[in-house]
Amino acid sequence: MAEMVKKATRESYGEALAELSEKYPQVVVLDADLAAATKTGVFKKACPDRFIDCGISECNMVGVAAGLATCGKIPFATSFAMFSAGRAFEQVRNSVGYPKLNVKIVGSHAGISVGEDGATHQCNEDIALMRTIPGMVVLNPADHYEMKAAVKAAIEHHGPVYLRLGRLAVESFNNADDYRFELGKGVTLRDGRNITIVATGLMVSRALKAVKTLEEQGIDARLINIHTIKPLDRELIIKAAKETGKIITVEEHNVIGGLGDAVCGAVCEAFPVPVIKVGVNDVYGHSGPAVDLLDEFGLNAGHIVEVTKKALQK
Amino acid sequence: MNKTEKNQLQKLACKVRMGAIEGVYNAKSGHPGGSLSAADLFTYLYFREMKIDPKNPKEENRDRFVLSKGHCAPGLYATLALKGYFPMEEMKKLRHIGAMLQGHPDMKGTPGVDMSTGSLGQGVSAACGMAAAGKMDHKDYRVYSILGDGEIEEGQVWEAAMFAAHHKLDNLCLIVDNNGLQIDGSVAEVGGPEPIDEKFRSFGFDVQVINGHDFDEIEAAFHHARTVKGRPSAIIAKTVKGKDVSFMENQVGWHGTAPNAEQYETAMQDLNRVLSGLEAE
Ligand SMILES: Cc1ncc(C[n+]2csc(CCOP(=O)(O)OP(=O)(O)O)c2C)c(N)n1
C-alpha cells in the first residue's frame, strides 16, 4: 500500500515533470512569472536548460510553445487557468488546436478554490473553453497519483492537451501500486445501483465522502471519476444511465459548459435520463478562504448528499 | 511644495503602508511588496493630484484612476480609506468572505474603485477608454493608471500605448511603478522590459523618469504632465519594493506573502519609527 498523500495537484504536477524529465528529453516547460505557484520551479531546478520563463505574457507563451512544438519539443505552457486557458484562448485555439500541435496547456489554480485572490483569478470557465477546441484532450486529475499518471499520459499522447491543476491540498484516494490511468477512460470508484454520481478533479474526494454518507443512509450510489473530460468515456456513462437511471454531476466549474454539460450531451443522445448538475451556478466567485468558499458554493459532500437524496425522491 | 506639506504627505504615505500591512496580515494573504512601493504615488494622486470627492465617488466629471496592477489593492484600499471613501476598519476584513474589499479591485462593490482589475495588462486599455470618452464628451477630467514594471511585459500594454498615442490622449497619465522585481525574480532576469522610458518615448509618449519616493519629484512630474498637449504621459517612477519595512525591502519573496504575527509586529514597528520620525520633524 502506497502512502496516503495530502497534496495539491499542482505540486504533484511539478514533481512529475521533474521525475519524468530524463525519460522524456523533448519536454520543455514554460511559465509566465508564476513558477513558484504553479510548481514548474521544481522542473526548472532539475532542468534549467529546458525551462523558459516567458515573463508576464501568456499569449506570447502559448505562441512560443506552438513554435517549439513544430521543432519536435513537447512544451508544457503553464500559468493560472484564468490566464493560460482564459487570456490566451485564441492563441490556444488558432496556434495550437488548429495546427494540431503537440502542446500541453496547463491551467493551475483553477476553480473557486484559488480563494482569497477572488473573482478575477477564480477560473470556472476553463473546461468549457478548452472542451470546445476540436481535438483538444481535457484532463482534470483528482489526486496526487492521478496527476502524476496524467502528466505522463499527456507527454505520451501526441497532440494538444489541456491539463487542469488545483491549488488546494487534497487527500489521495488512489494507490500508487494498483492505479491504472488510461486517457479517456472513467474510473468506477463505487459500484452502486440507485443513482450515479459523476465527479471530476478536486470534487472526486468530496463525492467519495458523500457516497459513504449515502451508504450509511441506505442509498447505494455509484461513483464515477472522470479525469478525462474530453474525450469523454461515453460508454461508461451511458451504461450507468441504463443501470441506475438518474445522474448527478459534480465539478468545481460553472455548471455551463463543463463536465455536467458533457455528460448531458452523452446521455441525451444515447439514453436520456435526468442529469442534475452540482457546480458553480453561473455566478462569479469572491474572496475568501478556499474551503469556506467551496462550502458556500455547495461544493462539498453535504450538499452532494442533499442533492442526491432530493433527486431520488422525485 | 513646502516642508510642512511634504511632511504631511510623507505621514499619509506611511499610514497607507500601515493600512496595507494591516490588511494583508489580517487576510493572511495578499501583496505587500508592490503596495508599499506604490504608496507615495497613491498618496500624491489621491491627496494632491486628482480632482475627486470621496462623498461623491461617481461624480461624472471626476478624475479617474485605474490600478492596472490590481494585486496592489491593499495599498489602494488604504489610500481610499484615509481619503474617506470608507472606514479604515474595512481593511481588517480584506479578502474575507462577504467583504467589501476583494482580493483585487472590484468596481461594483468598493466606492472609489473606477475599474475592476487583477488580470495584468488589462487596466491600461480601460484607462484609454475612459480618456477617449473624456475627449468625446469634451470633459476636462484626467485619467491616471499605475502599472507594474513586470506587468508591462504583457503585449496588451503596448497595444494600449499605441492606441493612446494615436488618439492623442493627453488626458491620460500612466505611472510605471519601477521597483525592479516581479514574482520569479528581478524584472531584468525574467522579462527584460527595460529601457522602459525609451519604449514609451518611441510609442509617442511624453516620458519622465523620477524617484517615486520623493514628493518634490512626484509633484514636478505631475505638474509637467498636465502641461503636455497632444500626447499621453508616462511617468517612470523608480521605487523600492517593500519600501520602509526593513525585511521586505527589495525582496522578491515579499511580492505576495503575508507576514506572520512576529513579522507583522516588526513591520509595524518599522513603520511607526518612520511615522514618529516624521512627527518629530
Ligand atoms: C495576466 C496575469 N498574469 C499573471 C498574473 C499573476 N501575477 C500577479 S502579480 C504578478 C507580478 C507583477 O509584477 P509587477 O507588475 O512588477 O508588480 P509589482 O512588483 O509592482 O507588485 C503576477 C505574475 C496576473 N495577475 N495576471
Side-chain angles (χ1 to χ4, degrees), chain A residues 33 58 83, chain B residues 69 71 118 120 148-151 179 181 241 255:
Chain A
D33 197 35
E58 297 80 7
F83 313 132
Chain B
K69 56 165 196 160
H71 59 281
L120 293 171
D149 48 7
E151 176 180 13
N179 60 35
L181 299 180
K241 199 156 173 173
H255 169 81

Side-chain angles (χ1 to χ4, degrees), chain A residues 32-34 56 58 79-80 83 87 121, chain B residues 31 33-35 37 69 71-72 104 118-120 147-152 154 177 179 181-183 187 241 255:
Chain A
D33 197 35
L34 285 168
I56 312 168
E58 297 80 7
S79 184
F80 287 2
F83 313 132
R87 190 186 191 96
H121 287 57
Chain B
H31 301 81
S35 292
S37 64
K69 56 165 196 160
H71 59 281
C72 297
H104 291 78
S119 191
L120 293 171
L147 335 178
D149 48 7
E151 176 180 13
I152 65 174
E154 288 287 1
D177 183 10
N179 60 35
L181 299 180
Q182 49 191 101
I183 294 182
V187 171
K241 199 156 173 173
H255 169 81

Side-chain angles (χ1 to χ4, degrees), chain A residues 33-36 53 55-58 83 87 116-117 120-121 286-289 292-293 296, chain B residues 29 31 95-97 102-104 117-120 122 150-151 153-154 156 182-184 190:
Chain A
D33 197 35
L34 285 168
D53 198 326
I56 312 168
S57 65
E58 297 80 7
F83 313 132
R87 190 186 191 96
E116 285 86 350
D117 272 348
T120 52
H121 287 57
H286 50 235
S287 292
D292 298 349
L293 286 173
E296 184 186 330
Chain B
S29 72
H31 301 81
R95 292 179 161 237
H96 287 42
I97 280 194
Q102 292 291 294
H104 291 78
T117 50
S119 191
L120 293 171
Q122 300 181 356
E151 176 180 13
E153 289 154 12
E154 288 287 1
Q156 185 176 354
Q182 49 191 101
I183 294 182
D184 286 349
V190 179

Side-chain angles (χ1 to χ4, degrees), chain B residues 88-101:
Chain B
M88 196 49 114
E89 277 298 297
E90 291 290 333
M91 288 309 287
K92 295 215 164 107
K93 288 182 280 180
L94 172 68
R95 292 179 161 237
H96 287 42
I97 280 194
M100 174 210 278
L101 302 181

Side-chain angles (χ1 to χ4, degrees), chain A residues 204-282:
Chain A
V204 179
S205 64
R206 291 170 169 245
L208 206 50
K209 271 195 200 126
V211 165
K212 282 178 191 152
T213 308
L214 287 165
E215 186 184 19
E216 283 159 20
Q217 301 181 10
I219 297 165
D220 185 21
R222 180 175 301 190
L223 176 59
I224 295 174
N225 166 17
I226 290 292
H227 51 63
T228 307
I229 292 171
K230 190 183 174 188
L232 185 72
D233 192 343
R234 297 167 62 91
E235 214 180 308
L236 190 68
I237 284 166
I238 290 158
K239 184 165 169 275
K242 285 182 178 159
E243 290 174 6
T244 73
K246 291 169 183 161
I247 294 178
I248 315 279
T249 61
V250 185
E251 61 195 312
E252 191 198 10
H253 185 275
N254 195 338
V255 290
I256 296 178
L259 170 74
D261 276 359
V263 168
C264 282
V267 296
C268 202
E269 284 162 8
F271 190 85
V273 297
V275 175
I276 298 116
K277 295 187 264 182
V278 174
V280 176
N281 290 310
D282 201 24

